[in-house]
Amino acid sequence: MQSVLSVAVDALAYGMVLFVISIGLSLTMGLMRVVNLAHGAFAMVGGYLASYAMRDLGLGYVVGLVLAVAGTVVIAAPIERLLYRRIYNAPELIQVLMTIGITFCVIGIANYAFGPTLKTIPLPGLLTGPVDLGFRSIAAHKLFAILCGFAVAAALWYLVERTSFGVKLRASVDNTPMAAALGVRTKSVYAASFAVSAGLAAFGGVVGAELLPIEPYYALRYMVTFLVVVAVGGAGSIGGALLACLVLGAVDTAGRYLMPDYGEFFFYLAVILIVCAFPRGLLGRA
């Protein structure tokens, strides 16, 4: 039983990190209808900025985290204005090619500016020690990642479902000309949504750096993983993305504990089985 609980805690931490990073991509693909393969690049940018702020500038963890998220949003804003707006209504192939190109550009610029080495993000003392849960001890940074995941899920659900911004966003997606005719500034809504998506990616990249290390090809290494979460959960579904991350995190963690030689075999086997059973995702809508 202790082993089962240990696997469950580690799976929950891993799943929450995947959720925080991937939920922005789910909203981009499900609500804004953009296949954004460069989403992982924004998580990478956030990790690089946080590492630079904390290691090179000597700033604290909270300040570095805020600067990383804000810096990523500032970088993402002109990219959305100059590039993404041109592909919002374009065929999916055009979107894929454009965003893959952006990914390689970000990787090249980051490696040139910061060097092609693994970037570490120093943790504060509060997050370095273990936390006793009674049945086992868990690293404080994992518990922090779990709490951040649930907090992001609740805040994002409230934003989309219970605020005027969420109403405008859903109206802009369902019928852009009608929403614009009713006075909704659709371009501003899309820009704000994209900024939220990029900011969440950066936040997840920093919070999850201990589980998904920030390295030169981070954006490519985890690109498929982030897409898989969206496909399994259902694009645009916050609950679906959360459920997908919990299920896939449990499968992947259990597989690595019990049969580490199989690598990610069980992770992608679970993906195949779920997609076959639920073609639109676990909580996807038509």
Side-chain angles (χ1 to χ4, degrees), residues 175-188:
N175 194 326
T176 301
M178 181 60 70
L182 293 174
V184 177
R185 300 175 61 183
T186 56
K187 291 183 179 180
S188 298

Side-chain angles (χ1 to χ4, degrees), residues 32-36 80 82-92 94-99 102:
M32 299 174 65
R33 312 285 167 79
V34 177
V35 184
N36 183 20
E80 188 275 338
L82 299 174
L83 298 177
Y84 279 85
R85 287 193 186 183
R86 301 175 183 272
I87 62 173
Y88 279 150
N89 297 314
E92 285 82 359
I94 300 298
Q95 296 177 351
V96 167
L97 294 176
M98 170 74 84
T99 53
I102 294 173

Side-chain angles (χ1 to χ4, degrees), residues 7-280:
V7 172
V9 170
D10 288 342
L12 183 59
Y14 178 61
M16 286 296 99
V17 169
L18 284 182
F19 172 77
V20 174
I21 299 176
S22 302
I23 186 58
L25 177 60
S26 179
L27 295 178
T28 302
M29 293 181 63
L31 297 181
M32 299 174 65
R33 312 285 167 79
V34 177
V35 184
N36 183 20
L37 298 188
H39 186 76
F42 294 112
M44 175 180 169
V45 169
Y48 269 69
L49 292 178
S51 178
Y52 177 75
M54 297 178 201
R55 288 174 54 85
D56 298 338
L57 300 182
L59 299 177
Y61 185 84
V62 175
V63 176
L65 176 59
V66 172
L67 289 179
V69 174
T72 303
V73 171
V74 169
I75 293 172
I79 294 177
E80 188 275 338
R81 177 65 179 85
L82 299 174
L83 298 177
Y84 279 85
R85 287 193 186 183
R86 301 175 183 272
I87 62 173
Y88 279 150
N89 297 314
E92 285 82 359
L93 179 59
I94 300 298
Q95 296 177 351
V96 167
L97 294 176
M98 170 74 84
T99 53
I100 284 181
I102 294 173
T103 299
F104 279 105
C105 288
V106 170
I107 289 174
I109 293 172
N111 289 340
Y112 176 79
F114 299 101
T117 57
L118 182 72
K119 303 301 176 185
T120 58
I121 298 177
L123 294 174
L126 188 64
L127 298 181
T128 54
V131 176
D132 188 10
L133 299 180
F135 57 90
R136 67 156 290 181
S137 294
I138 178 177
H141 69 84
K142 291 184 178 180
L143 183 60
F144 178 65
I146 293 172
L147 296 177
C148 286
F150 284 117
V152 167
L156 204 55
W157 176 86
Y158 183 82
L159 176 67
V160 174
E161 300 292 340
R162 291 290 184 269
T163 66
S164 60
F165 174 79
V167 173
K168 293 176 182 178
L169 174 59
R170 285 179 277 124
S172 299
V173 170
D174 291 339
N175 194 326
T176 301
M178 181 60 70
L182 293 174
V184 177
R185 300 175 61 183
T186 56
K187 291 183 179 180
S188 298
V189 170
Y190 280 141
S193 302
F194 191 86
V196 170
S197 173
L200 286 173
F203 180 76
V206 177
V207 171
E210 293 294 318
L211 299 177
L212 301 180
I214 305 297
E215 45 94 10
Y217 292 96
Y218 178 99
L220 291 178
R221 180 181 298 276
Y222 300 111
M223 178 189 293
V224 174
T225 303
F226 302 149
L227 284 173
V228 159
V229 170
V230 177
V232 171
S237 173
I238 298 174
L242 180 60
L243 181 59
C245 289
L246 294 178
V247 171
L248 295 177
V251 171
D252 189 51
T253 304
R256 293 179 186 276
Y257 263 91
L258 302 176
M259 287 177 271
D261 293 339
Y262 284 83
E264 296 182 332
F265 170 79
F266 294 104
F267 179 87
Y268 287 106
L269 177 62
V271 170
I272 293 172
L273 295 176
I274 293 173
V275 171
C276 287
F278 303 93
R280 296 188 182 278

